[in-house]
Each structure stands twice: as structure tokens, then as C-alpha cells.
Amino acid sequence: MTAEHHSAAAATGHGASAPSGPAGVVDPWQLVRHGTDPAGFAQDESLFALANGTLGVRGNLEEADSPSQATLLSGVWERTPIEYHERFPGFASHTDTRLPVADATHIRLRLGDTPVRLEQGEWLQFERALDLRHGCYRRRLRWRSPQGATLEIEAERLVSLAAPGLLAIRYRVRSLDYHGPITLESSITTGREATGQGDDPRIGARLAGGLSNWAAHADESKAWVGQQTTHSGIRLVCAQRHQAEAGLALHGIDQTTDGVTQTYVGMLAPGQSVGLDKLVAYTFSAPFANDTTAALLAQADATLAEATALGYPALLERQAQVLAGFWAQADLAIDGDPATEQALRLNLFHLFQSSSRDGHAGTAAKGLTGEGYEGHCFWDAEVFMLPVLATLAPERARAMLAWRHRTLERARAHARELNHPHGALYAWRTIGGDECSAYFPGGSAQYHINAAVAWAIRLYVDASGDQAFLLECGAEMIFETARIWPQIGHFNPRRGGAFCIHEVTGPDEYSALVDNNHYTNRMAQRHLRDAAATADWMALSHPADYAALAARIGLGANEPARWRAAAQAMHLPVDAELGIFPQDDGFLDKPRLPAALASTPDHRPLLLRMHPLGIYRHQVCKQADALLALMLAGEQVEVAAKRRNFDYYEAVTVHDSTLSASTFAVLAAEVGYAGKAHRYFLDTLRVDLDDLHGNAAHGLHMAAMAGSWLALTWGYGGLRVHDGLPGLAPRLPAAWRSYRFGLRWRDAHLRVEVDGDGVRYTLTAGEALTFLHDGTPQRLHAGQSLQLPCAGFPAPPKAVVFDLDGVLADTAVLHRAAWQQLADEIGVPLDEIAAARMKGVDRRGSLDILLESAPRPYSEAEKQALAARKNACYVDLIGRLGPQDLLPGARAAVESVRRAGLRTALASASRNAPQLLDRLGIATLFDYVVDAGRIARSKPDPEIFLAAAQGLGLRPRECLGVEDAAAGIAALHAAGMAAVGIGRAQELDQADVLLPDIAAFDISRFIT
């Protein structure tokens, strides 16, 4: 149950990215599309949207109508009561919805008295482009009217990254063969309603109230409209001015119930053009504020006056300067894959432009690119978006956390709603700080949001060194949110005093109200430890500040000690059978979701096809909580354990969340799955470019876009934070010749360049930086570079070496029976512990284990005789074997290796291996066989596997071994081979890959 994988090359027709240079060449700095099918325009409006953290404008065509076009302001939202048939205490009382506001993008055309309606004419040539270097949206249309007039329309726009509420449009119309009057009607329209939700809760809203016009005015110099919300008490002003080229003059002014229009007229002849620069300013009040009309208009006038003085070219240059600083920090280059570099730049651009700048608003799941999720902010802002900004644009990360601090009082109120007498609980989905989800099992129960905020604060402070923020805001948030964990968890005497957390929902919303959700517990552990450490730091370094804060929030003197104790005792069990972290206490007891329910032809997510209870009763993940926990807080977990968790949860994850692919990409890279890492990387990279989830039309997925950068830097780059220091472990994917990215850490900037020769680190800014490379400290000074080797992904194996007993056939029971017969004959006890020790050990070594409990010593001659008696019994037993005695899937596993073009070998501790292979009917499937008769030392000595590799003519690292015994796993590792374990984690916890049986063996996972 993995996501369908797509590639850029699969895109055809409308929406396909097109080269912007010579044929077949993709420009990494521009997204260019040529499609003319209106069915795909809504997705393009999202992709070509412009924003600045306050204002967002979707990428429409100025002269055309579009039902999905919208202009959004981060601080303009409406409050709607939530109606319940049965309401219980603490249920969310209302939801807040971001509203589309007055739209000032429209410039209508007339040729003579005839309105230009693009859908009625012929589109001769159409191109639109998003310029990532300059931060503007350009498009060009060559169009022929039904009357035969041919025009070329060029438009360019920007949403200023330097002025919060400014939109600027440069609009030009050129005649190719038309002669006559032309009219440009530049308007502000207010008739747009919020998109209705329908049957998909991710899209649109059920809204009470909305925006209404409270004023409008137009004259020769300016036009404006004022709007206000019905319930949330927000007012806004949208005002416009124009700079017209010669030959275009103001002709008329119009006010209607839906807005205002300023009309310009001129004459066109073939080869001539007319042009208009349109400047638009937005201002708005805080909710329930008393901002006067005069104050809002004054702000808009000031913005327009500055923009008019600068003019469009200067505004564009200023835009490029802002972005130049950001791109210098990203320092991105990918040699050999310009389409991937383009997609990464696009994703970074949208994340940067949609992120909050002033701390007055959060960064919504869809940014400011659409109405999806009603404009709500979720925990993914801290977990996916903030880590990118913390190392590229730390001032944006600070603003995100400042918004959380502004809403801390609402988080305290939310905690009281859920019966917590002290502390703060951040809402699952919100705009102003209040919980906006009516479904508490999947909403308010997601207590992990507190840990996400605390984790993000620590990451930001580590990366930026901004201890002032920690003192002023961060510590208060960390402490108040940490106080919730002791209220929902306890030291459970039934689990040996482990700290258990009950009735919560993790990020995987396909399991709800569970005990000991692994993600929640692991992140709570990190949160509690950091809260205690922060308290210690403040008490020691800033005692007055600590005392004042503790007094203000009523923090008890012994609370930090309780936090530390809870963290130390946190319940993080490992399933003894599988060697994985159970997602929660009951997850592994449930049946897996039937394959027929897991997917549909239209790829609709389960949440739109099944009742929640039907989902909750199955072992199925929207996204894998345990893997996300290992990505964020798994530094102390061994890679082999991460690989086991990856293998298990990949099989039960349907990836209905756009957040899922990046987590799998990062973990796949870390555990060495090169092919999977690349496929999941492409999924998170192109989730909106290729509309992989079918809802890019409603806005872009900011966290998935951020996830593509994490897949690059955390996945391929191996970036993690260890005790406040950045650590890297770069790897080069096979698809690229080289790649480069930048990392801002404190006052330094580190360039990381990876190619076939290793990794080159260069300190491009700052005095010095200490970091880790593959766990080893390194230090660079200004301008210095350092070349180091990097591990790279393991090469695909060229051969597979199989053990026999317990892997391909259950001959171990025959050995056990033969040894038991001998033990009974000589009167020596043989218990299960001793029998388990014999597993994988040769005949003489097994005899020594048996005789440890003998009542008398045996001579060497006696031992040889005993070994011969045991073997005679064993040979008699194997004479009864046949192909039917192969373990299920054994023959298919070996045959699949040969079909894949790999060689095969058998390495068995049995001296009867050739006879066994003949009896089982698989002797011809092996290129080389090594048994105990060819070696001097038994497992765990690597001799048998080294001999197998030599017999195949390969180096040991080119071979993959399959074993069912701990001694065999140890021998494989000693030989330098990767080890696949067949059996239980209790016995094979050192295996690189663990499978329950040979039927689960899939060679494709190791060669793709």
C-alpha cells in the first residue's frame, strides 16, 4: 500500500511544465506552462499564486472570469458557530474561516464596443511563467477574436515581499492586426463568496456571515472599497492607483454594489500597444478592534504613495533583492537533474513567500495560495515548515513562533476547556488560537501539538542562537505546554512504573483515542527533558527572569523534577516478536486493512470513503507516526531498528496525507534504501506540480513542499541536531552527478557539496563553525573548505547467499530430533535453551554444547563416535524429505533472485547440504554450495560466507546473506555482507532487514 509514483515526464497536455530555453532544457529558475485547457486552470492558479505572508493572490488571467480565483489576507477571517445535536463540555464552540477578500486583479478589455471574452476567441499562443529569481508571475497570450482581430496580451505581477499589503500589476496590450479603440476597465470586485465545503472536509467551509461592503469610493486618482466581517469584527480596505502609458487616458469611474471600476481608453493600430501599471494596497484591522476608516485609508494611501514613487521597475528590483538573500542561503544546485532543481526552488519559493513575517498570523496548511482547510494552521507548520526556515530564513521561523506566543493565552483557555487546571494546550487547527475542529477524537485529542511547538522552539534557538527569544517567549511556551503531560499521563504500576499517556490521537489520524501513541510519547519525552533543561539553564544563568516567569505562571519548584522523572520513565516499548515500536498499545492487535479497501481508481483517501470507526478498527496508517518520531527524535535509535520499523510501517501506510512521503524519504535514505528514498522524494517534491492528491486546485501543500527540502537535506544530507550542533552524513543518489545546499547556523553559513568523490564543506560566511560529519566533530573557519569521504548508498547486491536450515527448509526440526535421540540414549538432558544455542552451529560445536550437561567427560574418540551416531540418525530422517518439505515461498525466493540476474549460493553448517538440496529438488538453483565439510570454523566465524563469496567470484560486500540464526547474522556482518534475518526480533535484532519468513523475501527491495 504505497503511493502511486509519478514523474515530470508523465505530465502531458494542460499543466505540463514546458522548457523555457532550447528544446528539452528546463530552466531551474522558472516554472513555465503552455496549456490552454481551462479544466486545469484552477491548479495553475495555485502554482502561480504570489504572496508575502500577509497578502496572497492566486494566478488568474486579468481579463477573464474564474470561479476559483481568490485574494486572501492572513488576518481576515470569519467566525461561525459550530452546531451539535449533542454537545458535551469542552467541545469547540466555533470555527474560524479565512475569507476571499476584494479582488483587484481584474482588467477587462473592450475592442470598440465589444467585450473581449477569451473563451469565445482562438488562443494562438499561450505561456505563463513564475519567475523564481524575481518573484513575479508573467504570462503572454496571442489571441484572435471571433471578428478576426489579433492581440498580444502581456501581464506581469508581483506581491511585494517588502511591503505587506502591496500588489503591483504591469499590463500591456499590443495589436497585431487590429485598428480601433480599446478600453481597459480596471476594477476591484467584492462579489466572491467563500468556497463551499461539499462532501470533502479538506475543501472550503460551512460559513455563517462573511464579508459585506461598508464603503466604496472612486475618483481620478484612486478607487477603494471597504469590507467588514459579520462576526469576527475585522475591517479591511482595498485601494488602487494607476500609472498609464501615453495614449491611454482615464475615461470613466463607476461604483456598483460589487465594487469600483476606473476605465481607461486609447487607440490601437497594428504594431502599437497600450499599457497600464496597477498598484493595489490592502490594510485590515485586528479582530474586534476599533480601527477607524481614516486609519485604514491612511495606511493604504501611504503604501500606494511609496509604490507610486518607486514605480513598477523599482518594485521588481526590490523584490529580486529580497529573494537574492534567500537564494544565497539555500545555495541550491543539482547537477544532472534540472527538473528536480526547478521543483525544489518552486517549493522553497512558495514556502518563503507564504510564511508569516510579523508574528501576527500563522502559516496555514495551504499558505496563502487557496482556500483549502479554511486557512487553518496545523502542527505541520512547526514540524515540516519551520525546520526549513530555521536554517534558511531564521527571521521567518521566529515570526512563526512569535505567533504561537501571541496565541498562548488562547492555548491556556483551551486547556481549561479540556479540564486541565494549569498549563496550555495548543489547538489542532486554528487561525486565532481557538480550536476550530468539531471532531475532537481527530482534533483536540492531538496533544502532540504541544511537543511539536516545543521541539520547534529548541530547533530554532539551536540554529539561530537567539537566546533572547527563549527568555522572552520560548521558555514560557515550553513550560506551559510541558505542564499538560503529567495531567494526561501517569506512572503506571501495571507497567513497572513506566510513564504512560492515555487517550490521545497521533499525527496518524487513522488511529484515534489510543494509549501510548509512540509518536506522542517519544515527542513528549523530548519535550519534558527540554523543559527541565531549560528551567535549569534559566535558574542558573538568569535567576531573576526565571523567578519572575515561575511566579507569573504559578510554576511549582518541584515541577521540573517531575518532568525529568516522567521523561526518564516514558513508556516506549519494543514489540518482542517484530522488533518494532508499536504505534500504540492496541495497534498490532488489529487486522490489517483488506487490500480491496486500501485504494480506489480515483485514489480518494480513506477518510472520504469509510466511516472513522471502520478505519480505526484496522492496522492502517494515513502516515506512519512511529517513523515520524524516529525522524524528529530518533538519534539514539540504531539504524537496524529504524529499518525494521520502516519495513513494517511501509506495508500498512496508504499515504493519504501529503506529509507522509517526506518522512518516508528521509528514513529510507537513512537506512540505506536508495530506490525508495528517491521515489518518496519525488512524491513530496511534485505533490502539487503533478497534483498527486487531486486537490492542488484548492491551494498548495506547504508542509509537503517543505518536506521536499527536508528530503534533500535531512534525507540525502543526513542533517540532524546533536546536542545543539548540526550533524551531517551526506549521500549521493544515483540520479544526480552532484548536489549542493546551504545551511545557516547561528552567524555562519555552510555550503555542502556532494559528488562522487565525497563531500566538500565550505564556510562561506561567519568566523567559525563546529559541526559533525558522520558523528565526528569538524571545525571550519571563515573561507575554509574541507573535503571528506561520505558513505553513499550501498550498491545493489550481485548475489544472494542463503542459509538452508530454517530459511529454505525446516531441517532444524530433524537436527533437533536427532540430537534429542542421542541425548536420550546417553542420558544427557537437552532443554530448549541448549537447543537454541545449537542453531546454526556445526555438528561438533553442537555436540560440545550438549555435553556441557553430561555427568562425565568424554574422550575425543567417544565424541567422534557420538557425532557419527547423531549424523546417522539425521541422515535416516532426511531420507524421507522431498520438495514438499520446502518452506512456503522458499523456491520462489531463490528463483526470483535468479530471474533478477543475480547469482545464488548456499552456505549451510550441515555436512549433508548437497544431499538435502537434491532431496528438496532445488540443487540446480544454486551456483555454488558451501557446507561444513569445506570450512574449519563454524558460525559466528565468517569463514563460510567468505568462502561462498570467493566461490561466486565476488567480493563479500557484493553479496546479501539470508539467515535465521543470531550466529549466522553475526557471521554475515563479520564477512562484510548485509544480513537479512528470517524469524523473530528477539533473536535477530542485529539483522539489517528482518522478515517473518522466507515467503516475505522480495529481491526487488534490494536492487531498486
Side-chain angles (χ1 to χ4, degrees):
M1 292 186 292
T2 57
E4 180 182 359
H5 300 295
H6 301 256
S7 68
T12 58
H14 174 78
S17 297
S20 52
V25 177
V26 174
D27 183 351
W29 289 97
Q30 289 197 86
L31 174 68
V32 180
R33 294 205 169 187
H34 293 102
T36 58
D37 181 3
F41 276 16
Q43 179 194 359
D44 281 353
E45 286 173 358
S46 299
L47 289 170
F48 292 94
L50 297 173
N52 61 13
T54 299
L55 169 65
V57 182
R58 285 170 59 83
N60 65 326
L61 309 182
E62 284 82 355
E63 60 281 340
D65 289 317
S66 169
S68 53
Q69 170 60 16
T71 296
L72 302 164
L73 291 167
S74 61
V76 177
W77 45 268
E78 180 61 297
R79 176 155 293 175
T80 300
I82 298 176
E83 298 181 2
Y84 301 89
H85 184 67
E86 296 175 287
R87 178 190 289 274
F88 290 92
F91 278 24
S93 61
H94 60 265
T95 187
D96 298 331
T97 301
R98 184 171 289 157
L99 302 173
V101 301
D103 186 0
T105 61
H106 293 297
I107 301 176
R108 312 290 186 182
L109 296 180
R110 289 178 180 272
L111 298 180
D113 295 328
T114 304
V116 168
R117 303 198 184 282
L118 297 182
E119 70 277 10
Q120 296 177 359
E122 182 181 0
W123 294 47
L124 303 175
Q125 183 182 6
F126 178 65
E127 176 182 287
R128 63 171 100 201
L130 188 65
D131 185 331
L132 305 174
R133 198 190 299 272
H134 294 90
C136 64
Y137 161 46
R138 302 186 182 100
R139 53 99 180 180
R140 175 182 299 170
L141 171 63
R142 184 170 293 181
W143 178 83
R144 181 176 293 132
S145 74
Q147 294 76 29
T150 309
L151 303 177
E152 189 168 82
I153 302 168
E154 293 185 357
E156 179 177 298
R157 71 173 68 158
L158 63 87
V159 171
S160 174
L161 294 168
L166 179 64
L167 163 69
I169 301 173
R170 169 158 281 192
Y171 192 83
R172 298 289 182 272
V173 181
R174 186 167 72 94
S175 170
L176 298 183
D177 54 22
Y178 170 72
H179 193 291
I182 183 170
T183 302
L184 281 65
E185 298 172 346
S186 177
S187 61
I188 302 174
T189 59
T190 61
R192 173 77 156 78
E193 299 287 342
T195 299
Q197 187 176 93
D199 295 327
D200 190 339
R202 303 169 301 169
I203 300 167
R206 290 186 173 92
L207 190 68
L211 282 169
S212 60
N213 294 355
W214 53 267
H217 175 78
D219 57 33
E220 293 184 357
S221 64
K222 180 181 68 178
W224 63 273
V225 297
Q227 294 179 286
Q228 61 188 12
T229 59
T230 305
H231 303 299
S232 59
I234 299 171
R235 306 182 94 196
L236 71 94
V237 162
C238 173
Q240 68 180 25
R241 286 185 183 174
H242 299 89
Q243 293 177 314
E245 287 185 350
L248 203 60
L250 182 67
H251 179 71
I253 299 166
D254 187 29
Q255 293 180 219
T256 69
T257 56
D258 290 332
V260 294
T261 302
Q262 292 168 299
T263 301
Y264 291 81
V265 298
M267 291 294 296
L268 272 182
Q272 293 182 343
S273 64
V274 293
L276 189 69
D277 288 352
K278 180 173 183 174
L279 304 172
V280 184
Y282 289 86
T283 59
F284 57 92
S285 71
F288 312 110
N290 296 316
D291 296 54
T292 64
T293 302
L296 293 174
L297 281 172
Q299 293 174 35
D301 282 341
T303 298
L304 290 175
E306 180 184 9
T308 301
L310 287 170
Y312 187 88
L315 291 173
L316 185 62
E317 178 59 29
R318 188 165 65 172
Q319 190 88 335
Q321 290 173 1
V322 173
L323 283 167
F326 176 69
W327 293 125
Q329 298 302 310
D331 203 10
L332 171 65
I334 296 178
D335 186 10
D337 194 347
T340 291
E341 183 178 333
Q342 179 201 66
L344 278 167
R345 288 193 185 279
L346 174 74
N347 293 351
L348 285 178
F349 173 79
H350 275 296
L351 177 63
F352 179 71
Q353 69 166 357
S354 280
S355 61
S356 174
R357 282 151 173 71
D358 57 10
H360 289 274
T363 302
K366 295 283 192 176
L368 289 163
T369 65
E371 297 175 70
Y373 297 109
E374 301 182 73
H376 289 158
C377 302
F378 296 78
W379 60 278
D380 55 17
E382 280 76 25
V383 168
F384 291 90
M385 303 180 213
L386 185 138
V388 178
L389 297 172
T391 56
L392 295 183
E395 69 283 357
R396 303 285 190 268
R398 192 185 205 277
M400 291 175 68
L401 294 172
W403 169 73
R404 284 292 189 187
H405 189 258
R406 287 176 62 88
T407 62
L408 181 58
E409 197 56 46
R410 302 311 308 150
R412 291 187 177 109
H414 185 45
R416 306 301 171 269
E417 290 173 344
L418 272 66
N419 308 119
H420 301 303
H422 53 265
L425 178 61
Y426 280 105
W428 174 57
R429 59 188 296 171
T430 188
I431 292 179
D434 296 299
E435 178 61 80
C436 292
S437 172
Y439 186 62
F440 79 87
S444 298
Q446 295 200 41
Y447 278 71
H448 63 86
I449 296 162
N450 273 9
V453 173
W455 180 88
I457 293 169
R458 173 50 54 196
L459 176 63
Y460 165 71
V461 173
D462 283 344
S464 66
D466 189 358
Q467 293 186 349
F469 178 82
L470 187 61
L471 287 171
E472 296 164 11
C473 304
E476 182 179 13
M477 288 190 282
I478 291 172
F479 295 162
E480 284 287 72
T481 51
R483 302 175 86 181
I484 297 297
W485 299 119
Q487 298 176 61
I488 64 169
H490 75 128
F491 296 93
N492 189 345
R494 294 173 59 86
R495 296 188 182 273
F499 189 81
C500 297
I501 298 175
H502 304 289
E503 298 300 329
V504 297
T505 299
D508 172 28
E509 295 146 24
Y510 286 177
S511 297
L513 298 181
V514 299
D515 293 341
N516 295 309
N517 169 257
H518 181 81
Y519 175 87
T520 302
N521 283 23
R522 186 173 288 276
M523 292 295 286
Q525 181 186 58
R526 176 66 60 89
H527 184 181
L528 289 164
R529 284 175 174 166
D530 191 47
T534 302
D536 291 346
W537 171 75
M538 284 191 71
L540 181 65
S541 302
H542 304 274
D545 292 324
Y546 181 65
L549 175 57
R552 187 168 76 252
I553 66 176
L555 185 67
N558 61 345
E559 285 191 69
R562 291 205 299 269
W563 297 339
R564 190 174 284 107
Q568 183 66 29
M570 188 63 68
H571 188 53
L572 296 169
V574 176
D575 182 78
E577 183 75 16
L578 300 171
I580 66 168
F581 297 113
Q583 180 160 291
D584 56 68
D585 281 354
F587 187 80
L588 298 181
D589 295 327
K590 300 173 184 177
R592 293 194 178 189
L593 187 73
L597 296 176
S599 62
T600 59
D602 60 0
H603 303 292
R604 287 189 305 144
L606 291 180
L607 62 89
L608 298 183
R609 296 188 278 119
M610 294 180 64
H611 189 282
L613 289 175
I615 301 175
Y616 298 159
R617 292 182 181 125
H618 289 92
Q619 210 179 127
V620 61
C621 298
K622 183 181 183 187
Q623 59 196 54
D625 280 1
L627 298 191
L628 183 59
L630 295 178
M631 171 179 143
L632 300 179
E635 296 90 346
Q636 305 307 314
V637 179
E638 293 183 352
V639 170
K642 291 181 180 179
R643 188 180 292 113
R644 288 195 297 273
N645 279 275
F646 183 98
D647 292 341
Y648 188 87
Y649 285 108
E650 184 184 39
V652 296
T653 301
V654 292
H655 303 288
D656 282 350
S657 170
T658 59
L659 307 178
S660 184
S662 60
T663 300
F664 275 83
V666 171
L667 263 294
E670 183 176 2
V671 303
Y673 289 159
K676 292 178 185 289
H678 192 63
R679 289 195 296 272
Y680 284 118
F681 170 69
L682 290 179
D683 272 357
T684 190
L685 178 75
R686 304 193 65 86
V687 67
D688 290 306
L689 272 171
D690 295 343
D691 200 12
L692 299 185
H693 287 249
N695 59 353
H698 311 109
L700 306 179
H701 299 82
M702 291 295 122
M705 288 182 145
S708 66
W709 187 253
L710 298 183
L712 175 72
T713 58
W714 287 44
Y716 291 139
L719 175 62
R720 299 292 190 278
V721 182
H722 301 271
D723 297 324
L725 292 177
L728 295 119
R731 292 177 170 180
L732 180 67
W736 305 342
R737 290 189 289 268
S738 68
Y739 67 95
R740 183 182 78 220
F741 66 86
L743 172 68
R744 187 82 197 178
W745 200 264
R746 305 285 174 108
D747 295 325
H749 180 266
L750 182 68
R751 174 180 292 161
V752 183
E753 299 172 279
V754 186
D755 60 21
D757 295 327
V759 56
R760 184 176 182 84
Y761 297 106
T762 304
L763 198 66
T764 64
E767 294 301 316
L769 177 66
T770 298
F771 63 97
L772 306 177
H773 169 77
D774 281 336
T776 302
Q778 311 289 338
R779 186 165 179 82
L780 282 176
H781 294 276
Q784 283 186 336
S785 292
L786 180 64
Q787 182 78 28
L788 294 169
C790 56
F793 287 104
K798 296 180 179 179
V800 178
V801 182
F802 291 92
D803 180 33
L804 176 60
D805 297 342
V807 173
L808 301 179
D810 194 9
T811 58
V813 297
L814 305 183
H815 284 289
R816 178 71 171 84
W819 283 118
Q820 187 65 58
Q821 180 174 323
L822 178 66
D824 293 342
E825 290 174 357
I826 64 176
V828 174
L830 176 58
D831 57 25
E832 293 306 317
I833 296 176
R837 290 174 57 203
M838 293 178 178
K839 193 173 182 181
V841 179
D842 66 5
R843 189 185 312 160
R844 182 55 188 270
S846 296
L847 178 63
D848 290 339
I849 294 172
L850 175 66
L851 296 180
E852 288 175 0
S853 301
R856 69 172 181 85
Y858 285 78
S859 68
E860 182 61 30
E862 288 177 310
K863 289 181 179 181
Q864 291 178 6
L866 290 175
R869 286 169 60 184
K870 181 269 174 184
N871 190 55
C873 178
Y874 178 66
V875 169
D876 180 61
L877 292 172
I878 64 175
R880 310 170 195 173
L881 288 179
Q884 71 278 1
D885 294 301
L886 282 169
L887 289 171
R891 186 181 188 94
V894 182
E895 288 177 337
S896 71
V897 174
R898 297 183 69 86
R899 283 196 304 271
L902 278 67
R903 306 196 73 197
T904 55
L906 186 86
S908 172
S910 172
R911 292 178 182 270
N912 301 289
Q915 182 183 354
L916 283 166
L917 292 179
D918 284 334
R919 298 294 304 172
L920 294 168
I922 56 174
T924 59
L925 296 182
F926 294 94
D927 299 304
Y928 194 72
V929 176
V930 185
D931 63 13
R934 297 191 180 204
I935 58 172
R937 297 176 297 279
S938 63
K939 305 168 190 176
D941 190 276
E943 183 184 5
I944 192 168
F945 292 112
L946 293 173
Q950 184 178 22
L952 292 170
L954 298 172
R955 291 170 293 184
R957 68 171 179 270
E958 296 176 311
C959 301
L960 176 72
V962 185
E963 262 283 359
D964 73 319
I969 299 296
L972 283 168
H973 285 156
M977 296 183 187
V980 177
I982 304 293
R984 304 195 311 164
Q986 292 166 300
E987 302 160 0
L988 305 175
D989 61 329
Q990 296 304 307
D992 298 299
V993 174
L994 182 66
L995 302 175
D997 49 50
I998 192 62
F1001 182 84
D1002 180 5
I1003 189 60
S1004 66
R1005 78 189 302 174
F1006 304 104
I1007 60 177
T1008 59

